[in-house]
Amino acid sequence: QTNVQNSSPRDRDGGREMKLFLITTLNGLTLAALYFLVASGFSLVFGLMRNVNLAHGSLFLLGAYIGYEVQQATGSWLLAVAGGFLSMAALGLLLQHYLFRFLEGQELRQTLVTIGISIIAADLMLAYWSGTTYQFEIPDALYGAIRGIPVIKVYPIYRLFILATAIVVGVALWLFLNRTKIGMMIRAGVDDRDMLSATGVNVHLIFALTFALGAGLAGLAGVVGGSALSIAPGEDLRYLLASLVVVIVGGMGSVAGSAIGAILIGLTEQYGLAYSPTYGVVYTFVIMVVVLAVRPQGIMGRSA
């Protein structure tokens, strides 16, 4: 108490500024983790397979709604996460088999069709779940805050859980794409699908499984993100735009690039809100413009 009373106003202001900076940094990293969870699936579909799926945000929101219904029926948050992932993976499998396989290489048609799907899906979700905001009940182990952290004192456990989840998913995706036979087949099929098909590999099946994984990650992110924030109409468009920016900045088809892009966008968004709220949204697109001007293929993207 004596130290606090004897401290100068400059010291107290400096302590508050440091606390604000550290909290903003953690908020930026945890927001980046959520963006990465959504963008990682989008990177697989859009960046790696070159399928323009602008209904990816709808998969995020629909997975969140289905996860919410699963939790209401079972009382289990873990089953809600599984429900969001598996339901969207199944839907992604259907989309790839019955739609995208017939639109391969037709980016304009893919864009128009998936925009139409997202509009229809948004209206159907609004009709069924209405405009009500829904909130998940997270497990007791993830509820509350960690105390005793230097400078910032306390911080929500669940936000740190999102960060840890994103790290696990990112490492698992990188290992899957670079250290497994299926991952190598996926990358080979993207580079030269005719040659891969000539070796006897079922390219359509490989791509369908990849699309299902990307869609499933969107559903998983819907439940995880909805547990941190909320589920409401309009979240599909928000996370679709975030995914687009992250993939463009980080580089098409690169998991590491998506992570870097998510960190840049998440931190920029939070720093902007904390220190310059009037122009906070602008900074995100400034980063995208600068990256495209200096390195059009993205930070970790490959040259065409």
Side-chain angles (χ1 to χ4, degrees), residues 108-130:
L108 180 58
R109 289 188 178 182
Q110 291 175 358
T111 301
L112 294 175
V113 169
T114 53
I115 287 175
I117 291 174
S118 66
I119 293 172
I120 294 171
D123 287 343
L124 290 175
M125 286 186 284
L126 182 62
Y128 186 83
W129 284 286
S130 72

Side-chain angles (χ1 to χ4, degrees), residues 117-298:
I117 291 174
S118 66
I119 293 172
I120 294 171
D123 287 343
L124 290 175
M125 286 186 284
L126 182 62
Y128 186 83
W129 284 286
S130 72
T132 304
T133 299
Y134 296 93
Q135 184 70 51
F136 285 93
E137 295 180 7
I138 62 175
D140 293 337
L142 300 177
Y143 187 78
I146 296 179
R147 301 184 181 277
I149 302 176
V151 183
I152 64 175
K153 306 304 181 184
V154 297
Y155 198 77
I157 296 174
Y158 189 76
R159 281 184 171 271
L160 296 176
F161 169 77
I162 295 177
L163 182 58
T165 301
I167 293 172
V168 171
V169 169
V171 172
L173 271 180
W174 188 87
L175 291 174
F176 171 71
L177 291 174
N178 295 278
R179 293 292 185 267
T180 67
K181 185 177 181 180
I182 296 178
M184 294 177 185
M185 287 181 183
I186 292 171
R187 291 185 289 112
V190 171
D191 292 335
D192 192 340
R193 64 178 303 148
D194 293 332
M195 182 63 70
L196 182 64
S197 181
T199 64
V201 175
N202 189 335
V203 178
H204 288 301
L205 177 60
I206 294 295
F207 276 18
L209 292 176
T210 306
F211 200 103
L213 177 60
L217 287 172
L220 182 146
V223 178
V224 173
S227 301
L229 304 171
S230 60
I231 314 169
E235 293 297 297
D236 51 346
L237 181 59
R238 173 190 173 187
Y239 285 98
L240 172 63
L241 290 175
S243 299
L244 275 170
V245 174
V246 166
V247 171
I248 290 172
V249 170
M252 301 272 281
S254 171
V255 175
S258 294
I260 293 172
I263 291 172
L264 282 175
I265 300 307
L267 288 174
T268 300
E269 190 172 314
Q270 289 301 304
Y271 286 144
L273 289 174
Y275 296 104
S276 181
T278 304
Y279 303 102
V281 179
V282 178
Y283 298 144
T284 296
F285 293 97
V286 168
I287 287 179
M288 185 174 69
V289 170
V290 170
V291 169
L292 289 176
V294 175
R295 190 174 172 82
Q297 70 269 31

